Every structure is written in structure tokens, then in C-alpha cells.
């Protein structure tokens, strides 16, 4: 009969995980600045108040170049209200001609937010990095999305 010891299991797991390929990041870094026009944002409230923990904000908006002149893509996603009056936790996808970029993280009611770039498709496959979000006006009708994208080494 085979016996498995905690050390034996740990060594086996370490050997398997150590053999898995891990991309080396920061072979190339790219900066991407887009402007979102927040025209479709809608909130589904879960309580009787106008701001409740658990409210869901959904959106699907056009995205423009850094000069805010030419539509270059779109985004869609959702945010859940986590701290009333302060922040949401969000997940969304930016769709561009070359592929998609996904982000996840907090969206703050006041001030700028930083979200993690968690991956992508097409030319953005395996990308990581972060996105700085800045409101262009007090109404929240447009946002600067400044991506710092790190591409893996090939």
C-alpha cells in the first residue's frame, strides 16, 4: 500500500507547478490612452435607498482616441456597490480592433481609481498591467482610461 506524507505531496505539487511555463513579463511595455463616453450607465438598486450595498451598475459605452475625436472601440461591464458612498468593485472589457483587454478593481466615487489589467485577447493575449481611471468632469459623463500594458517575452 502506498503512503502519502505531507512532505511527499508538497514535493510532488512543487515539481508539477515548477514545470509549468510561466511567461516572463515586461518584455515590452505599451501605454494606451482612451476616453470613454459614459452614455449607457444604469444602476439596478437592491434596496429602497438610492445607494445600497449590492447595487449593480452596468454599462456598454463607446471609447474614443486620446484626442477624443475618433471612435476606436467600446467597453462593457459591471460594478457592484461594495461601500456605499465610496466605491464599487468592477469588471469590464475594452474591445479594440486588435483584441480585448479586461480590467478588474475598485471604482472610487471621489478621486482617481487604479484597476488591474487581468488579460486580453488577440494582440493583447497574456497582457498584464494596470489602468488609471480619471473622471473628465464632475457629472461622470466621460473618463480617461490610461493603460500601462506589459506584454510577455516570447
Amino acid at each position: 500500500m502506498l503512503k502519502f506524507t505531507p512532505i511527499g505531496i508538497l514535493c510532488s505539487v512543487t515539481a508539477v507547478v515548477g514545470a509549468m511555463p510561466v511567461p516572463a513579463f515586461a518584455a515590452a511595455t505599451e501605454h494606451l490612452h482612451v476616453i470613454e463616453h459614459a452614455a449607457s450607465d444604469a444602476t439596478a438598486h437592491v434596496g429602497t435607498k438610492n445607494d445600497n450595498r449590492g447595487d449593480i451598475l452596468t454599462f456598454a459605452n463607446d471609447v474614443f482616441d486620446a484626442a477624443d475625436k475618433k471612435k476606436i472601440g467600446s467597453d462593457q461591464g459591471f460594478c457592484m456597490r461594495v461601500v456605499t458612498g465610496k466605491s464599487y468593485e468592477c469588471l469590464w472589457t475594452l474591445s479594440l480592433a486588435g483584441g480585448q483587454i479586461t480590467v478588474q478593481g475598485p471604482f472610487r466615487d471621489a478621486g482617481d481609481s487604479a484597476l488591474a489589467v487581468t488579460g486580453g485577447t488577440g494582440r493583447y493575449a497574456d497582457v498584464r498591467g494596470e489602468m488609471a481611471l480619471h473622471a473628465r468632469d464632475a457629472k461622470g459623463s466621460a473618463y480617461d482610461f490610461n493603460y500601462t500594458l506589459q506584454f510577455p517575452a516570447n
Side-chain angles (χ1 to χ4, degrees):
M1 171 185 258
L2 291 175
K3 283 182 116 178
F4 291 99
T5 63
I7 280 291
I9 292 171
L10 178 62
C11 290
S12 297
V13 170
T14 302
V16 170
V17 172
M20 295 173 66
V22 177
F25 279 93
T29 299
E30 181 179 309
H31 297 279
L32 173 65
H33 178 196
V34 300
I35 298 170
E36 179 203 47
H37 292 193
S40 73
D41 297 15
T43 302
H45 299 287
V46 298
T48 57
K49 298 179 183 174
N50 200 29
D51 187 12
N52 308 278
R53 183 181 297 177
D55 286 353
I56 302 291
L57 167 70
T58 60
F59 55 92
N61 294 310
D62 291 336
V63 176
F64 293 78
D65 63 8
D68 201 17
K69 300 290 184 201
K70 180 182 176 189
K71 179 183 170 188
I72 59 169
S74 63
D75 67 8
Q76 64 179 17
F78 61 91
C79 302
M80 177 181 282
R81 182 56 116 181
V82 178
V83 181
T84 56
K86 291 190 179 183
S87 66
Y88 290 86
E89 183 66 22
C90 300
L91 175 66
W92 74 81
T93 302
L94 171 67
S95 296
L96 302 170
Q100 300 171 333
I101 302 169
T102 57
V103 297
Q104 181 176 355
F107 171 72
R108 303 188 193 297
D109 290 14
D112 295 344
S113 300
L115 294 91
V117 172
T118 58
T121 65
R123 88 176 282 284
Y124 305 104
D126 296 323
V127 73
R128 295 289 185 264
E130 68 179 54
M131 185 201 75
L133 181 151
H134 174 77
R136 294 176 66 87
D137 60 33
K139 298 182 294 184
S141 64
Y143 293 90
D144 287 301
F145 294 169
N146 286 293
Y147 291 85
T148 302
L149 304 173
Q150 297 173 347
F151 293 85
N154 291 340

